[in-house]
Amino acid sequence: MKTYPTNLTDSQWNIINDLLSDKRPRKYEIRDIFDGIFYWLKTGCQWRMLPLCFPPWETVYYYFTVWKHKGTIELIHEHLRDKVRIKAGKDKSPSLGLIDSQSVKTTRSGGICRGIDGGKKTKGRKRHIIVDTLGLLLAVVVHAANEHDSKSATKVIQLLKDRFNRLIKIIADGGYRGKLIENTKTSFGLILEVILRKDDSPKFQVIPQRWVVERTFAWFESYRRLSKDFEFLTDTSENMIRLAMIKLMLNRL
């Protein structure tokens, strides 16, 4: 089989294989299925244009859909994040999170969940994420771009509930001011701290800590399938983001 830079190494595959519960013999190797998915994510090609050296595109797409609905992709992502944090000398549970959103364009097949972000002049969706201080993903929700950050942030924050016992504070920008701060405290027991830029400086400023979440958005640019939101369903978009983070974390390990 022809190899590509996106293919899993033996050590990377061993990590994923240990997490898979169903290991019965199949016509196509599960490792080749993962290689096909990572190739698709990196190059941004259509499913039907997967190279013939991979299993048939219908098979690769089938497994992607099954793993998406069964939570297998999320399970692998959560396990790898714990391993990366431990390797960095940190606890599995972060104590600090950072929240932000990224508006991206959709295509003609972008589904019904889309809108216009008036501030960014973008018609499409928002990728709303919370990351830890390493830039690793804690939660993601994809929604219409016309939803204001302060209104839709609750959807992302509630995904943290009962998952991270050490989490105390979430850092945000000025778009998250208002009732959200108090609602986050009363509903989830978390401190939402808004950090603003200094108005008296005409130059670009690197905001302490908040640059970490911006860097995570920059990591997405390494995957052409994430250059726009091509997907009809938002849960597909969310799992593509998890897959991108899985590949990034595998490279670190």
Side-chain angles (χ1 to χ4, degrees), residues 193-210:
E193 181 179 336
V194 174
I195 298 181
L196 303 175
R197 290 183 172 85
K198 296 180 180 178
D199 295 333
D200 57 353
S201 176
K203 298 182 179 180
F204 171 79
Q205 304 171 43
V206 177
I207 308 301
Q209 296 179 310
R210 282 207 56 251

Side-chain angles (χ1 to χ4, degrees), residues 107-202:
T107 61
R108 288 178 296 174
S109 61
I112 59 175
C113 182
R114 53 181 170 177
I116 298 176
D117 180 349
K120 302 289 180 61
K121 302 296 189 294
T122 301
K123 182 179 181 180
R125 293 171 174 164
K126 281 185 179 179
R127 297 165 178 160
H128 218 142
I129 66 173
I130 299 177
V131 302
D132 64 9
T133 54
L134 297 177
L136 304 179
L137 190 69
L138 302 180
V140 56
V141 173
V142 176
H143 56 78
N146 61 315
E147 295 184 28
H148 193 271
D149 289 352
S150 62
K151 302 295 183 182
S152 55
T154 303
K155 301 177 185 177
V156 198
I157 297 174
Q158 69 182 2
L159 295 178
L160 303 176
K161 192 172 182 180
D162 301 325
R163 290 177 56 208
F164 304 104
N165 61 330
R166 296 179 65 249
L167 188 62
I168 299 172
K169 182 187 292 186
I170 301 174
I171 302 295
D173 63 17
Y176 296 87
R177 288 176 289 185
K179 295 180 180 179
L180 177 64
I181 297 177
E182 183 60 30
N183 291 342
T184 300
K185 181 65 176 178
T186 56
S187 300
F188 307 106
L190 296 172
I191 300 171
L192 184 65
E193 181 179 336
V194 174
I195 298 181
L196 303 175
R197 290 183 172 85
K198 296 180 180 178
D199 295 333
D200 57 353
S201 176

Side-chain angles (χ1 to χ4, degrees), residues 41-52:
L41 180 66
K42 183 71 171 180
T43 63
C45 70
Q46 295 173 321
W47 284 112
R48 290 172 175 80
M49 298 182 70
L50 274 179
L52 297 179

